[in-house]
């Protein structure tokens, strides 16, 4: 669910890539020239501070003459570092995942979000968030209050005019009531306030347009210091 992996996985991947480079006798500047990267980027990758794509790892393996086994092991590790845990059961501490999301949002200068079924967390009222968190098969989670407070705290970035936030949601999302009519009205009023923020761009896909059949929402994080832009995709699994 997290989509962010963990710092520990990125550091492990970086160490593995660094050992592979060292084993070939290539220096960081030499490998950087092979890859067409800057030397600082190679250094950040090996330190686990640079998000890398699977294509980056493929290039690294080719430049260092990795064996098939080394290639397969690194690709597997890169997938884990990029995508995080593969299931809810292995998702780890929810508080840690929430903090990871908040940290990434705080660093990004541009955030673009598309959600097909619910409002993005940054736009939700407390009542709406309560309904979302309680909609699972097990009902409200034991840390429901903490989750709601953390979500509301993240919304401070809406008032940081150094950031740009862009949202796309279908009109049907606005019509689906989460909670009572009063709570639904409160949520719509909240959107009316946010849409006037100078750094927020909220676009609505009208029901008169062709339906959007894709079921997974996603968030694009851009303008991150020392990190390439990346996409966070949440799946039901």
């Amino acid at each position: 669910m997290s989509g962010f992996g963990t710092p520990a996985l990125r550091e492990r991947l970086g160490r593995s890539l660094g050992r592979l480079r060292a084993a070939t006798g290539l220096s960081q500047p030499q490998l950087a020239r092979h890859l067409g990267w800057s030397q600082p980027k190679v250094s950040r990758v090996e330190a686990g501070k640079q998000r890398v794509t699977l294509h980056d790892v493929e290039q690294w393996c080719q430049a260092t003459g990795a064996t098939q086994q080394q290639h397969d092991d690194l690709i597997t590790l890169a997938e884990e570092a990029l995508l995080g845990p593969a299931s809810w059961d292995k998702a780890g501490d929810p508080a840690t995942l929430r903090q990871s999301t908040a940290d990434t949002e705080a660093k990004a200068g541009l955030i673009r979000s598309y959600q097909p079924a619910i409002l993005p967390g940054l736009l939700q009222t407390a009542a709406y968030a309560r309904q979302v968190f309680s909609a699972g098969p097990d009902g409200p989670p034991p840390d429901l209050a903490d989750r709601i407070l953390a979500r509301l705290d993240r919304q401070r970035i809406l008032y940081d005019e150094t950031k740009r936030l862009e949202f796309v949601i279908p009109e049907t999302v606005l019509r689906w009531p989460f909670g009572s009519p009063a709570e639904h009205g409160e949520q719509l009023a909240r959107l009316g306030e946010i849409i006037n923020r100078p750094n927020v761009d909220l676009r609505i896909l009208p029901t008169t347009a062709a339906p959007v059949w894709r079921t997974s929402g996603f968030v694009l994080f851009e303008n991150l210091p020392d990190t390439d832009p990346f996409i966070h995709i949440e799946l039901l699994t």
Side-chain angles (χ1 to χ4, degrees):
M1 155 126 176
S2 74
F4 295 106
T6 66
L9 283 171
R10 289 195 295 271
E11 290 172 5
R12 181 181 166 196
L13 174 62
R15 288 194 299 269
S16 297
L17 291 171
R19 286 195 296 268
L20 180 59
R21 173 193 58 76
T24 67
L26 289 172
S27 66
Q28 287 187 348
Q30 287 172 329
L31 179 61
R33 286 195 293 272
H34 276 291
L35 298 175
W37 297 358
S38 67
Q39 187 275 327
K41 179 176 178 178
V42 172
S43 179
R44 291 194 301 270
V45 168
E46 294 188 0
K49 297 179 180 179
Q50 172 77 44
R51 184 173 298 275
V52 295
T53 66
L54 296 182
H55 179 63
D56 291 337
V57 175
E58 291 277 4
Q59 285 185 299
W60 193 293
C61 288
Q62 292 175 7
T64 56
T67 66
Q68 187 63 47
Q69 185 61 56
Q70 289 172 323
H71 168 274
D72 293 346
D73 290 345
L74 286 169
I75 288 296
T76 298
L77 184 55
E79 288 176 341
E80 293 176 357
L82 284 167
L83 303 178
S87 71
W88 285 90
D89 292 339
K90 300 177 181 178
D93 178 23
T96 300
L97 299 181
R98 290 196 297 271
Q99 188 60 49
S100 176
T101 301
D103 289 345
T104 304
E105 289 173 342
K107 294 176 183 176
L110 174 59
I111 300 173
R112 292 170 165 160
S113 176
Y114 164 69
Q115 295 295 340
I118 61 172
L119 290 173
L122 291 175
L123 304 181
Q124 295 175 7
T125 62
Y128 192 102
R130 182 183 300 107
Q131 295 294 331
V132 171
F133 287 133
S134 302
D138 298 325
D143 61 345
L144 177 60
D146 290 338
R147 296 190 185 202
I148 294 172
L149 288 173
R151 176 152 295 184
L152 296 180
D153 187 60
R154 283 169 46 207
Q155 296 179 5
R156 288 183 298 175
I157 67 171
L158 293 169
Y159 303 93
D160 182 353
E161 295 188 7
T162 66
K163 296 180 178 295
R164 177 74 177 171
L165 299 102
E166 301 177 359
F167 303 93
V168 175
I169 56 175
E171 181 185 343
T172 49
V173 170
L174 302 181
R175 298 182 179 276
W176 290 334
F178 271 76
S180 68
E183 290 173 339
H184 186 58
E186 178 189 23
Q187 178 62 78
L188 294 179
R190 169 68 171 157
L191 292 179
E193 296 172 2
I194 294 173
I195 203 170
N196 291 318
R197 296 290 309 156
N199 59 322
V200 175
D201 186 353
L202 174 61
R203 302 297 178 100
I204 299 171
L205 298 175
T207 54
T208 54
V212 178
W213 56 266
R214 295 171 181 81
T215 57
S216 296
F218 58 86
V219 182
L220 285 73
F221 293 95
E222 303 183 52
N223 299 347
L224 289 150
D226 300 324
T227 304
D228 291 334
F230 69 96
I231 302 173
H232 169 209
I233 301 176
E234 290 191 4
L235 305 176
L236 291 177
T237 55

